[in-house]
Amino acid sequence: MLSLYGWIWLIPIIERIMPLKGQQLIRPGIINDLIHTYHRVHLWSMLNAALVSWLVAYSLNHGEQGPYLRGALINAHWSVNVIAVLVFGHVTFYAAHLACHKVPLLWQFHRVHHSSVKLDSFSTSRFHIIDKTLFATPYLMLVTYFQPDPGIVFLFVSFNDFWGRYGHGNIRDPHWLGYVMSNPKFHRWHHSNHPDAIDKNFSAEFNFLDWIFGTAYYPKEEIPENFGSEEYSNNIIVQHYQPFLDCYRIVKNDGWMALLRKPKTSPVKQQPVTGN
Ligand SMILES: [Zn+2]
Ligand SMILES: [Zn+2]
């Protein structure tokens, strides 16, 4: 609710006041992204509700400390909870996001998010339901297992939602911030088609894993531009069945194993999309 009726309309105002690059509010795909934004509760709930139900059942049966650090954060100091919740969020998002770019099967679903030709805070919600669930799963499993303070988890999820919108925003902020956080310029490089920026900047909030593992791309003087794919549909319905067609095409052309690793000769990410 904070997101849908709060900062979702606050961040576009900031985008008007201090834009990274001049851009109109009404741009290609805006209707699609608004539908993604306001329907996401219903769409995501189908798979996420099943996942959360399973996790709730697990935590009801294992709601105390046990072997292998199960419930290790019960009664831990709040500062330990904060650090753990942030680290869980950063590590799981980075790992899941890296996999989404490296494994062709996952990329077909994740490329929906990367299809935006013009980026602003409304692009944040453009996700395939399966992709979004895959991102949430490892985090929810860790939280259920280690059982940190639910209030701190709620604060993190709210912060994560706010920062996701801010990070996709067309906003100019201090360059130094990108050395610590995935700010708009840092994340826009992730969406950029610039050859040096491909498969870079996987972080969502803090970005120390990108700097540690050498996947950060953050030049000081340049501004990222040229995003997404003109050929990919701006229709939310097509965006939800297109990945299945693309997977089918890959299997038909290159076999099942091509879903798990990229063929050396024809990178999957550069295949043209047809049948939109
Ligand atoms: Zn990505
Ligand atoms: Zn993004």
Side-chain angles (χ1 to χ4, degrees):
M1 297 303 284
L2 281 168
S3 171
L4 290 185
Y5 303 104
W7 51 68
I8 203 170
W9 292 104
L10 181 69
I11 292 172
I13 295 171
I14 302 174
E15 288 178 311
R16 299 294 108 197
I17 297 171
M18 42 185 207
L20 187 62
K21 198 163 187 270
Q23 186 170 299
Q24 291 181 323
L25 181 63
I26 309 298
R27 42 90 177 155
I30 184 71
I31 302 291
N32 171 72
D33 291 348
L34 282 169
I35 296 172
H36 268 285
T37 302
Y38 279 94
H39 270 262
R40 64 185 186 159
V41 175
H42 316 290
L43 272 173
W44 296 358
S45 62
M46 287 190 289
L47 277 176
N48 283 346
L51 170 69
V52 169
S53 305
W54 183 81
L55 292 169
V56 167
Y58 176 89
S59 56
L60 283 175
N61 291 324
H62 304 86
E64 72 291 320
Q65 292 184 327
Y68 306 108
L69 294 175
R70 197 183 76 214
L73 291 170
I74 297 173
N75 298 326
H77 191 266
W78 67 266
S79 58
V80 177
N81 272 273
V82 168
I83 293 168
V85 162
L86 286 174
V87 170
F88 290 167
H90 186 39
V91 172
T92 56
F93 189 92
Y94 182 91
H97 199 179
L98 186 76
C100 283
H101 279 253
K102 300 294 183 187
V103 179
L105 170 67
L106 303 181
W107 168 252
Q108 303 315 315
F109 294 90
H110 186 56
R111 70 184 299 187
V112 172
H113 180 63
H114 278 266
S115 61
S116 298
V117 176
K118 298 275 182 196
L119 276 183
D120 59 27
S121 59
F122 291 111
S123 315
T124 317
S125 302
R126 183 186 288 218
F127 267 104
H128 194 286
I129 176 177
I130 289 178
D131 191 32
K132 196 70 196 172
T133 303
L134 281 173
F135 271 96
T137 303
Y139 182 75
L140 290 176
M141 289 177 82
L142 282 184
V143 165
T144 306
Y145 189 80
F146 291 105
Q147 299 173 45
D149 186 329
I152 293 173
V153 175
F154 171 76
L155 286 176
F156 173 76
V157 171
S158 301
F159 170 68
N160 173 278
D161 197 282
F162 167 79
W163 198 263
R165 302 210 154 269
Y166 178 81
H168 284 88
N170 179 31
I171 297 168
R172 181 184 294 276
D173 61 5
H175 184 78
W176 61 262
L177 191 60
Y179 294 112
V180 186
M181 307 283 294
S182 177
N183 69 341
K185 196 171 161 191
F186 190 89
H187 190 66
R188 288 162 93 80
W189 278 118
H190 177 68
H191 280 263
S192 160
N193 293 327
H194 191 291
D196 294 339
I198 300 293
D199 290 353
K200 294 286 194 307
N201 300 7
F202 293 109
S203 302
E205 311 94 23
F206 294 94
N207 59 10
F208 57 86
L209 285 183
D210 272 314
W211 293 107
I212 290 172
F213 291 122
T215 51
Y217 182 77
Y218 194 55
K220 186 162 188 189
E221 305 304 334
E222 293 172 68
I223 291 179
E225 49 193 354
N226 189 14
F227 309 109
S229 167
E230 294 277 359
E231 296 87 36
Y232 213 91
S233 173
N234 269 327
N235 181 319
I236 185 171
I237 299 185
V238 177
Q239 287 167 357
H240 274 83
Y241 70 69
Q242 184 68 48
F244 294 100
L245 297 182
D246 292 338
C247 286
Y248 173 73
R249 190 175 300 118
I250 290 172
V251 171
K252 203 167 148 219
N253 292 341
D254 299 309
W256 286 97
M257 287 309 289
L259 286 178
L260 301 180
R261 60 168 185 257
K262 293 180 193 175
K264 283 200 171 71
T265 46
S266 58
V268 172
K269 287 172 71 171
Q270 286 165 22
Q271 286 180 355
V273 177
T274 55
N276 290 334

